[in-house]
Amino acid sequence: VTDTALELAADVRAGRRSAREVVDEHLAAIDARDAELHAFNHVMVDGARAAADAVDVSVAQGDDPGALAGVPIALKDNLCTRAVPTTCSSRILDGWRPPYTATVVDRIAAAGGIPIGKTNLDEFAMGSSTENSAFGPTRNPHDPTRVPGGSSGGSAAAVAAGFAPLALGSDTGGSVRQPAALCGVVGVKPTYGAVSRYGLIAFASSLDQIGPIATTVTDAALLLEIVAGHDPLDSTAIAEPAPRLRDVLDEGVAGLRIGIVEELTDAEGIRPEVVAAVEDAARALEKGGATVDRVAVPSATYGLSAYYLIAPAEASSNLARYDGVRYGLRVEGDDAAAMNAKTRDAGFGAEVKRRIMLGTYALSAGYYDAYYGQAQRVRTLIIRDFNRAYDTFDALVSPTSPTTAFELGAKTTDPLAMYLSDVCTIPSNLAGHAAMSVPYGAGADGLPIGVQVLAPALGEPVMFRVAKVIEDASP
Amino acid sequence: LPLVNVLRADEVRPVLDRDEVLEQAPAAEDGRFRVPRIMGEAP
């Protein structure tokens, strides 16, 4: 199915198509191909049909069901959905049915959107290829021998395969943008605090942010407008209403100052064809009336190192809650400590254990300041350097991923090679500003390339204007 | 430095349903989570 969310919602609201028909079409697409791709851990067949019927009833009564009327939306399986399985692609949560629903999912439903299923991810969002899922990898719809990226690989693959025009993912170090780039779709990491995280299962709380995945920049703007805005249930949600994005999308880039981030473009390991795509997109921005220059963000070079101390440190604390007591798996032991240890040994996969151990070590007495403290100081430098760049530039561009989609198994035995997939995306999570990936042509292998657009905190309106011009210029 | 407390009204708000929560626990008893022995006392 290739209709955009905007088209589908317009048709459903006008009574030209029923929501039920739209949902059934997408369920048929899932049925036809998801056995091969494994984008979904769980398809909400009955729930989606019931929600669609409710939308149709409301249209028949002359009511407006909302801006997402009848639009199927895939949800990353770390977003809580009441009474619907939510696993984080981990054995430790297999079979769990949350007693509450994430704010973003409630907002989608309130706007007439139809949650259609829970998508596969790297276990607890730790990974860049969706191969760390306890339930098996997702495959890239453009070439099933390749990974979809990760950790929101299921959401990106679902949108790229036409299973749903929209999806939500979560981005801690690039987990929305990198799979969006590898699957040839749009992926957004909003400003830290722009979207409520109530009901997002925490990985690294100072970095996690929920963001939309879509086939077009306009659709991504539509979904972000719905899910963003303050939520009393998340104290880190900024006390601001959702930004108006679609109103400004066509304002163009005339007069804007755009910087190409040198450290994220000239770095070792970034394929020349990816750099060429960024430079080509920058020329399109120039043609649109922007001025383009190169800009240095020197400390961005240390982003990866700082991230792999801060994120595991926070994860080791967040994942302490999986203790076999309140939910999920329990493996019995002689006493509580033995039960905890056996449960966690059986329930967590290798990458999750690796990061819990790294984080526990980084936070241990005597090493705390040398590792975690030092990483936080680097983070402050990264924020400072980006703020300096934003003194001179309205928005920045860089590659999203150093390469196009790689083959399944290519990096599974080398965690460091896998971590390098996120070298261009991680600095934005550390800085807390807004960033997104826009598809821009293909590599020599025929697979999609993504260009990243970065903007200051709460700079989503300017970021989307830049993204729209890049999208329109994409070969 | 002017400091302002950020307080909300003390009002009743929805909470999670206890039975629904306990239904998801590996073991529950008498409206509580059941856990193995924690201290060294006799079972």
Side-chain angles (χ1 to χ4, degrees), chain A residues 82 97 325-326 330 335-336, chain B residues 20 24-26 33-34 37:
Chain A
R82 189 171 184 178
R97 290 169 187 265
V325 173
R326 290 154 299 167
R330 172 186 289 192
D335 56 18
Chain B
E20 196 177 348
Q24 296 298 317
F33 298 112
R34 184 182 162 83
R37 182 162 56 88

Side-chain angles (χ1 to χ4, degrees), chain A residues 1 21 25 59 80 92 187 208 252 272-273 329 341 355 394 399 410 471:
Chain A
V1 187
E21 185 186 316
E25 243 177 83
V59 172
C80 288
I92 213 157
D208 297 339
E273 63 186 10
L329 182 74
R355 296 203 198 186
D394 298 297
E471 175 181 58

Side-chain angles (χ1 to χ4, degrees), chain A residues 13 29 66 73-74 99 104 136 240 270 305 335 345 356 363 441 463:
Chain A
R13 288 166 104 174
I73 299 168
V104 289
E240 296 274 346
I270 300 179
S305 311
D335 56 18
D345 185 35
I356 290 173
L363 291 175
M463 178 174 81

Side-chain angles (χ1 to χ4, degrees), chain A residues 448-462:
Chain A
I449 292 174
V451 169
Q452 185 174 223
V453 184
L454 307 88
L458 298 177
E460 276 82 358
V462 72

Side-chain angles (χ1 to χ4, degrees), chain A residues 348-366:
Chain A
F348 288 138
E351 182 63 25
V352 173
K353 286 176 184 166
R354 179 180 295 123
R355 296 203 198 186
I356 290 173
M357 286 187 275
L358 277 172
T360 306
Y361 183 72
L363 291 175
S364 56

